[in-house]
Amino acid sequence: MKIKQNAAMAAAGCAVGAVNGIFGGGGGMIVVPLLTSVGKKPPLVAHATAILIILPVSLASSIVYLCAGLFETELFLAVGIGVLAGGFAGARLLGKISPAVATLVFAAVMLAAGLRMLF
């Protein structure tokens, strides 16, 4: 990648970290479009890379939340089991669907989330 493109990706990475830290998630909604438009990566690569990018960001944010006492063990265990199972299933499915389907589903989920927040 070129220096200008790397700088843009790094700046966007800061925004992703901030979004994830403030909202406790959602950075992937920034990373995927960023990787496909600025990074010129195919959709399936962008989705898979977004997951890998969000992992360390989520770990950093969770340390802050733990230190602040914003954590419930029972809730973590209940949701965590489902997230692990769903994450595994979703990662396996991503390798079997077309880029067009991945993009369409991603856009539909983002739209539904946005509409849900408005109404």
Side-chain angles (χ1 to χ4, degrees), residues 68-119:
L70 301 170
F71 175 76
E72 293 182 20
T73 303
E74 186 177 336
L75 180 61
F76 167 75
L77 292 173
V79 175
I81 291 169
V83 168
L84 284 173
F88 180 78
R92 303 268 305 169
L93 181 61
L94 183 62
K96 297 178 191 265
I97 62 175
S98 73
V101 170
T103 300
L104 183 63
V105 170
F106 182 73
V109 168
M110 286 193 343
L111 178 64
L115 290 172
R116 177 71 176 119
M117 291 182 75
L118 288 173
F119 303 105

Side-chain angles (χ1 to χ4, degrees), residues 22-37:
I22 293 168
F23 299 118
M29 292 193 310
I30 297 171
V31 172
V32 172
L34 173 76
L35 292 175
T36 56
S37 62

Side-chain angles (χ1 to χ4, degrees), residues 6-20 30-31 34 53 57:
N6 282 340
M9 297 294 273
C14 288
V16 169
V19 166
N20 200 73
I30 297 171
V31 172
L34 173 76
I53 290 170
V57 172

